[in-house]
């Protein structure tokens, strides 16, 4: 039987994963957008969307790898 503490832990892990994904994705996308704006390069919205997805996925996988290595050792 699940207790209330288990549900709060799962919710906290989900919120942490979403924060890592969206935070890293938005930060990387904003940084590349600023650099491209300074260099006067025109990119379409699909470029920034895929950049957002890829950088968020990479940050989330690196975070999961880091925490799994902390748990193993």
């Amino acid at each position: 039987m699940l207790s209330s503490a288990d549900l709060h832990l799962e919710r906290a892990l989900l919120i942490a994963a979403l924060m890592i994904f969206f935070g890293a994705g938005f930060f990387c996308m904003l940084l590349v957008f600023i650099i491209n704006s300074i260099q006067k390069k025109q990119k379409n919205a699909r470029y920034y969307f895929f950049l957002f997805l890829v950088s968020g996925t990479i940050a989330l996988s690196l975070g999961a790898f880091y925490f799994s290595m902390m748990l193993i050792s």
Side-chain angles (χ1 to χ4, degrees):
M1 186 158 104
L2 290 175
S3 68
S4 178
D6 291 335
L7 296 176
H8 290 300
L9 180 63
E10 290 172 358
R11 186 180 311 149
L13 287 173
L14 178 67
I15 290 173
L18 287 174
M19 285 175 50
I20 290 171
F21 179 81
F22 285 114
F26 182 74
F27 179 73
C28 183
M29 183 186 67
L30 185 65
L31 186 66
V32 170
F33 177 75
I34 291 171
I35 291 171
N36 285 337
S37 295
I38 291 171
Q39 294 178 351
K40 307 239 188 296
K41 291 183 180 178
Q42 295 293 328
K43 300 288 185 181
N44 56 5
R46 191 178 347 188
Y47 173 80
Y48 292 111
F49 179 70
F50 285 132
L51 181 69
F52 174 79
L53 289 179
V54 168
S55 61
T57 304
I58 289 173
L60 190 59
S61 62
L62 286 175
F65 178 72
Y66 174 73
F67 285 117
S68 66
M69 287 295 117
M70 282 180 37
L71 290 174
I72 289 173
S73 62

